[in-house]
Amino acid sequence: MFKKLAKSSLFAAAATIAVLPMLGAVPAVAQDGENIDVTIGWVPPDITGVFKTATNFFELAAEDANKNGFNVKVLTKSPTSPTAFAEQVSIIEDMIQRKVDLIAVSPAEVATIKPALARATAAGIPVVVVNLLEPIDGVDVSSYIGFDNTQGAEVSAYSVVDYFGGPGVLGTGDKVDVEPGTYLDLKFWEDIASKLSAEDKAKIKARGAIIEGVAGGFYSTARLEGFRKVLEQFPGIEIVGGTCAGDWNREKGTRCAEDILQANQGNLDFIWAASNEMGLGAMLVAGSQNRLETTQDGAAVGDTKVAIFTNDVTPESVDRIAEGKMIAETTHGFADWGWFGTKFAVELACGLEVPKTFDIRPRSVYEANARNFYPEPKLEPIDWKTIRANCKKAD
């Protein structure tokens, strides 16, 4: 299917995910031959990078549904930046006024949007939250699609450990044989690390810097905690300086990387950026200064080259990983968000059950497995015909 759709369709912007029939309506079985209408309001924190990827796959799944007896319409609108918190609230309020069937949202900041989500559910509009598994107190969310942000950063930290001498699939340490398709998730890395002695851990050495997201924000805090939690076990890995806040933005991430490289001439081994927009910015800066370490160079502590590690995974970053320009990245399943998000949206609109939470286990992406993710991610097909046959939806 994905070969047929090709890149122009795959990476075009559009929309969506999410939710339940209007509360209080009496479901009616859709008649054969009728297209079943579902209007979804999709409100990401922005429409670039990872959210562009997620939106593309929401739209691809909607196109697939519309070939099988549905008429899924997606209304997509995002704030002007991921830090425009009040603007995201206004967009949700607008979706309520439009009386969409469902609202799907990836919160720019959780606390800020809680009142708006509560108003949506009070108006009979169900809500699906994307990019989060932790329940939001006081809001009746129909389904959460996402991953544990702390665990995602822990996986990235283990990639750093692996590259600079630990056991795994990267760098100079003992190589671990993995079967094709193996999930290099947190359990995989923890099982490997559990076999290391304190002496083994102390031998793994590197100096690195961190570019975080929005300082003090929910997502940035969770990722910083996860990354540091793992590195605390490896006293030879040193984080220099404080964190630089890149606000999940490539331009700001680029400025952070410039400052970090300027302050650490010849004594920095890696940069970890908490999102790939910032990580791609760091990669470009290091490359422009002839300081970018590639997989062809190999880990070499103490030289002038800097290895880039990051989180998220998009078509662009997979290309850079496949080229050896970024060492490793932790995937958060943005294609999965859109593909399964639209599936859940239609099922919920049809009065069918969906999981309360859909956990996309973060896992490592590196040169050898990068093409498992883009341009043709391995996603299971959706049985739209069965969903259509069982659909009950209020007119």
Side-chain angles (χ1 to χ4, degrees):
M1 170 185 173
F2 292 104
K3 287 182 180 177
K4 194 172 182 180
L5 288 167
K7 285 189 177 180
S8 60
S9 176
L10 186 61
F11 307 139
T16 157
I17 168 176
V19 223
L20 275 165
M22 297 288 286
L23 299 181
V26 179
V29 178
Q31 299 300 309
D32 290 342
E34 293 179 353
N35 284 339
I36 299 171
D37 294 332
V38 180
T39 301
I40 302 167
W42 162 231
V43 191
D46 69 14
I47 204 69
T48 64
V50 297
F51 291 103
K52 180 177 185 296
T53 301
T55 299
N56 292 342
F57 279 87
F58 289 146
E59 185 65 20
L60 285 175
E63 290 175 10
D64 205 30
N66 292 348
K67 297 172 185 174
N68 291 278
F70 292 96
N71 181 27
V72 180
K73 296 179 181 178
V74 177
L75 303 177
T76 303
K77 191 170 183 181
S78 71
T80 51
S81 81
T83 56
F85 304 137
E87 191 177 344
Q88 189 176 44
V89 171
S90 296
I91 293 169
I92 294 169
E93 298 282 7
D94 180 61
M95 295 294 184
I96 296 170
Q97 292 298 316
R98 290 170 180 252
K99 299 182 179 179
V100 297
D101 293 312
L102 320 138
I103 291 176
V105 59
S106 177
E109 194 55 52
V110 174
T112 307
I113 67 162
K114 281 176 63 173
L117 297 186
R119 285 191 286 275
T121 57
I125 301 174
V127 170
V128 166
V129 172
V130 173
N131 195 19
L132 194 67
L133 289 182
E134 298 86 344
I136 300 175
D137 292 338
V139 181
D140 184 15
V141 173
S142 298
S143 186
Y144 292 89
I145 300 177
F147 62 98
D148 186 302
N149 281 269
T150 302
Q151 289 185 6
E154 288 180 71
V155 170
S156 287
Y158 277 118
S159 295
V160 171
V161 170
D162 175 6
Y163 189 66
F164 289 104
V169 298
L170 304 166
T172 59
D174 293 338
K175 291 295 186 289
V176 175
D177 291 330
V178 294
E179 295 292 329
T182 299
Y183 271 21
L184 306 186
D185 59 6
L186 184 57
K187 183 179 185 305
F188 171 87
W189 291 113
E190 287 179 336
D191 287 347
I192 292 173
S194 69
K195 299 176 175 64
L196 296 175
S197 67
E199 184 179 1
D200 292 332
K201 291 180 178 180
K203 291 178 181 177
I204 301 168
K205 298 183 182 297
R207 286 168 55 85
I210 294 174
I211 302 175
E212 68 164 316
V214 177
F218 173 87
Y219 300 102
S220 190
T221 299
R223 295 187 192 186
L224 284 175
E225 288 178 353
F227 195 75
R228 287 169 170 159
K229 176 183 174 183
V230 170
L231 294 192
E232 285 171 359
Q233 306 169 46
F234 298 88
I237 300 180
E238 178 188 359
I239 299 300
V240 298
T243 63
C244 183
D247 291 350
W248 313 117
N249 176 276
R250 188 175 305 199
E251 183 179 351
K252 291 184 179 180
T254 297
R255 291 202 293 269
C256 282
E258 289 170 343
D259 292 343
I260 289 167
L261 293 175
Q262 177 63 34
N264 296 277
Q265 297 283 346
N267 63 348
L268 190 72
D269 302 305
F270 72 89
I271 292 174
W272 171 64
S275 79
N276 81 344
E277 279 293 294
M278 300 185 300
L280 286 163
M283 180 202 73
L284 292 170
V285 172
S288 70
Q289 298 183 14
N290 196 30
R291 293 182 66 183
L292 179 66
E293 183 158 299
T294 70
T295 55
Q296 288 73 37
D297 299 324
V301 173
D303 69 3
T304 61
K305 301 289 188 178
V306 179
I308 306 298
F309 299 83
T310 187
N311 281 57
D312 287 335
V313 177
T314 61
E316 181 182 3
S317 63
V318 163
D319 285 345
R320 302 296 83 78
I321 292 168
E323 294 164 359
K325 294 179 180 179
M326 291 204 300
I327 304 302
E329 185 170 10
T330 300
T331 179
H332 299 158
F334 296 100
D336 305 59
W337 288 10
W339 191 247
F340 295 106
T342 298
K343 177 178 184 286
F344 291 173
V346 174
E347 287 176 322
L348 286 163
C350 285
L352 306 176
E353 292 186 2
V354 302
K356 184 69 175 179
T357 60
F358 186 75
D359 187 356
I360 301 165
R361 286 152 47 202
R363 51 201 186 273
S364 297
V365 178
Y366 65 113
E367 191 172 10
N369 72 355
R371 290 308 178 196
N372 289 342
F373 298 90
Y374 295 108
E376 297 178 27
K378 296 181 178 179
L379 299 170
E380 65 183 61
I382 299 171
D383 186 358
W384 292 114
K385 287 184 169 55
T386 297
I387 296 172
R388 175 65 178 77
N390 294 327
C391 186
K392 296 180 180 179
K393 186 179 182 303
D395 293 327

